[in-house]
Every structure is written in C-alpha cells, then in structure tokens.
Amino acid sequence: MSDPSSLSSGASPGAPAHGPAFAVDRWLWRRGFGPGPVREGARTLILLAAVLLGAGAALLPLTAWPFWLGAGTTLSAWNFYHLALFVQRAFPSGNEGGANSSAARRLLAGQLARSNLRLFITGFFVYMALVVFHANPFALAAGLSAAVLVLPFLFRRKKRAKNHASL
C-alpha cells in the first residue's frame, strides 16, 4: 500500500520526496489521516509547533516569550490532531446517517470523555505555565490560538488556488 502523500502529488517533477514536511505527512497518513485539507492542516500545525517550540527553546536564555508561544502552539496542535483523528475515524465518508444507533452514542460518549480529558490536561498545563512558571499570558494565548488563526488562512489559500486552477 503506497502513501498517497499530499506533498508528492503537488511536487514538481524530479523534486525530492523527503524532508520534515514529507515525514510528518507520512506519519499522519499512517495514523489514519486521509489526503485532503485536514491532514494538511494537521501537518502545518505540527510543523509550526515544532519550529516555534525549537526556536523558543533556543532563545530561552534570552527571553521566554517564544518558548511559551511554542508551548501554546504545541497544545493547540495536539488538541486539533486528536479531534481531527476522531472525526475522520467516526465519519470516514462524512455521512452521519447512523447517529441514532447505540454504537454512535457510545462513540460520542467516548469522544466527549476524551475531549474533556484533553481539556483538563490543557487547562492543567496552562495553569502550571501561568502560576508556577510565570509564563507570558499573551504568548501562551497566541500559541493556543494557532489552530484558529492558521487553519482558516490555509483552507482559504487552498480554495483560492483551486478557483484559479479552474479558470
């Protein structure tokens, strides 16, 4: 079974199919992310979190602001990853027709429990960062907002590219 990587299909002929973006894309595919905007969004958030957290760790002796931005972005990417993975597994065709079945109710109850656990863990980390480590609240909030800020921009850019290609 070959990887239908969204990176390899859009790459120019002869372009190398390696690097961090390709590795993350394949990692997501192996975990159940199908091709499309959700996997591209997850890949973008994961790479953004890695870059910001790495740069923040390198700049930590000078200033803590980039580190907390990266930490917030990491939490945002983690939450988006799990929510997107659930949606793709629960509704692989996008059809919610059997939502009244007992299996669907158990699936929904399980997701609610997992979401609340992730929310609790996120809240615990935010509390620890703010109270114990005296994190910059604006940097942490900006990082936590990464999915809300990055994903609409990414999806809108993809929609524009698709519209220009059809002209």
Side-chain angles (χ1 to χ4, degrees):
M1 178 183 235
S2 66
D3 174 9
S5 175
S6 58
L7 291 176
S8 61
S9 62
S12 60
H18 55 78
F22 185 76
V24 171
D25 202 52
R26 291 195 62 200
W27 180 81
L28 288 169
W29 176 73
R30 280 187 246 121
R31 276 150 188 79
F33 279 80
V38 174
R39 184 168 74 180
E40 293 173 25
R43 178 186 65 225
T44 301
L45 281 174
I46 290 169
L47 291 172
L48 179 65
V51 166
L52 290 175
L53 196 59
L59 294 172
L60 202 52
L62 303 173
T63 180
W65 199 90
F67 176 77
W68 294 117
L69 179 67
T73 305
T74 302
L75 283 172
S76 178
W78 177 65
N79 281 305
F80 178 79
Y81 168 84
H82 283 285
L83 181 62
L85 188 61
F86 164 75
V87 169
Q88 287 193 348
R89 287 183 179 168
F91 310 111
S93 67
N95 182 10
E96 301 92 19
N100 292 329
S101 71
S102 63
R105 285 193 296 269
R106 282 194 312 271
L107 186 67
L108 181 60
Q111 175 56 25
L112 287 172
R114 285 188 299 273
S115 291
N116 284 328
L117 180 61
R118 273 194 310 279
L119 183 62
F120 174 78
I121 292 169
T122 300
F124 177 77
F125 279 121
V126 168
Y127 173 80
M128 294 298 289
L130 292 172
V131 174
V132 176
F133 297 107
H134 307 289
N136 182 323
F138 297 109
L140 202 54
L144 286 167
S145 302
V148 176
L149 297 172
V150 170
L151 294 176
F153 175 75
L154 178 70
F155 295 151
R156 185 171 180 184
R157 185 177 57 98
K158 285 286 185 186
K159 186 177 178 182
R160 277 188 184 169
K162 188 177 181 181
N163 288 343
H164 286 307
S166 65
L167 294 178

